[in-house]
Amino acid sequence: MKNVAMIGFGGIAQSHKNAHLKFESEGRERLVAVCDITPEQFKKRIKINIDTGEETLGGSFHVYYDLEQMLSNEKIDLIDICIPSYLHADTAISMLERGYDVLSEKPMAMNSADCERMMAAARRTGKHLMIGQCLRFYGEYEYLKEIVADGRYGKVTSAEFRRLSGTPMWSWQNWYHDYSKTGGVITDMQIHDLDMARYLFGEPRFVECRANSKKVKFDVSHIVLGYDFPVTSIGDWTMQGIKFTAAYSVGFENATVIMERGKVTVYPADGSEPFTPEYPHRGGIEGEIDYYLDLLESGEENTKNPPESAAATIRLVEAARESAEKDGIRVAFGK
């Protein structure tokens, strides 16, 4: 059984905590401690742009406001990092060098150079590092990966991904509004769909990004990825008055597959009735933690979500930001 501690107890950490307590109830881990520098974080439930599920009550973890105190007082095997994006790299490296396995929220880092430093630290210390690219573990996207891979509906002919939200207003010290700390909607939210495109289709040959800055820099982003078929991604932080929504529409030779409001529907090209396929219904954060615990228990190689792949997604994000800075110019990517 692994002893787990969390660093950060903001919005997304609520889902991490719920998953850890679920696996604790199954005897697979023990959430021993949570640290956040802001005591008020432990007194409120923070509403963010996704439904984090029902609040999981209970748990006997210790609460800390000082990281060094937590590390010296607790016996910890795995550190789960849920702090602002610009702090991910240095915190992960520090924890790896202190001898802990590390799960860190996305984005892996703000730039690819920091990703390389993180991976070098993992190699140097022999500790495990995984990045929370949680979309790879949602049932709706696992199903899409499956049908792309096995070709049951023929080849892919087009793909569109959408991720829409109001401007994030819940962040500590309003850090979401500082482009140097978030990289805009491209780095914080659209990264999920860019990572999924790579996961499904491999590396694009190029990226083109047109972005706007309504309230914060690059809070609207439309991206075209260079595959042999059209692939587009829309990320928008300016959709006021709506709930967060994520969707995809993927065309195949023999079907169209659409995911909206968490439901997948297959529309066969032969005109037969649309249907909802069977696939696992679970949250991506629960799925990624489940997978990571399995890896640590079995010692097997991470083939589904290795840090090298997360680093490649950051390189794609960098290419998209470069294109956005230059009014949508095509930026080469891939081999």
Side-chain angles (χ1 to χ4, degrees), residues 1 19-29 286 290 293 297:
M1 179 185 296
H20 287 306
L21 292 181
K22 175 183 184 294
F23 296 125
E24 181 174 302
S25 72
E26 297 173 1
R28 298 182 60 199
E29 65 157 90
E286 177 185 326
D290 184 20
L293 290 174
E297 291 164 4

Side-chain angles (χ1 to χ4, degrees), residues 270-291:
D270 62 9
S272 56
E273 283 296 311
F275 64 93
T276 298
E278 292 186 2
Y279 55 88
H281 293 272
R282 69 173 181 181
I285 291 173
E286 177 185 326
E288 74 187 14
I289 293 175
D290 184 20
Y291 181 74

Side-chain angles (χ1 to χ4, degrees), residues 179 183-186 211-214 216-221 237 321 324-325:
Y179 181 77
V185 73
I186 303 168
N212 197 7
S213 304
K214 184 176 179 181
V216 298
K217 184 175 179 179
F218 295 164
D219 52 9
V220 180
S221 168
W237 259 350
R321 294 195 309 238
E325 293 279 6

Side-chain angles (χ1 to χ4, degrees), residues 246-267:
Y248 63 70
S249 303
V250 181
F252 294 83
E253 291 173 310
N254 301 313
T256 300
V257 181
I258 295 176
M259 189 278 288
E260 294 179 309
R261 298 180 179 89
K263 178 183 178 182
V264 177
T265 305
V266 178
Y267 297 85

Side-chain angles (χ1 to χ4, degrees), residues 22-95:
K22 175 183 184 294
F23 296 125
E24 181 174 302
S25 72
E26 297 173 1
R28 298 182 60 199
E29 65 157 90
R30 181 168 172 251
L31 181 61
V32 297
V34 178
C35 180
D36 196 289
I37 62 173
T38 307
E40 288 74 22
Q41 298 292 78
F42 297 99
K43 302 175 184 177
K44 60 184 179 180
R45 177 159 171 78
I46 302 168
K47 293 184 178 181
I48 59 175
N49 66 349
I50 61 171
D51 180 4
T52 57
E54 293 296 324
E55 177 73 357
T56 300
L57 301 177
S60 57
F61 54 87
H62 297 147
V63 170
Y64 291 90
Y65 313 125
D66 180 270
L67 177 59
E68 294 302 326
Q69 186 179 47
M70 181 181 78
L71 297 179
S72 63
N73 286 357
E74 304 288 345
K75 185 179 185 304
I76 300 167
D77 303 303
L78 166 62
I79 294 285
D80 184 355
I81 297 174
C82 299
I83 54 179
S85 301
Y86 66 99
L87 302 173
H88 288 175
D90 286 344
T91 305
I93 291 168
S94 175
M95 295 302 103

Side-chain angles (χ1 to χ4, degrees), residues 13 54 69 112 129 164 223 305 314:
E54 293 296 324
Q69 186 179 47
S112 55
L129 170 66
L164 314 176
I223 290 176
N305 189 33
I314 292 297

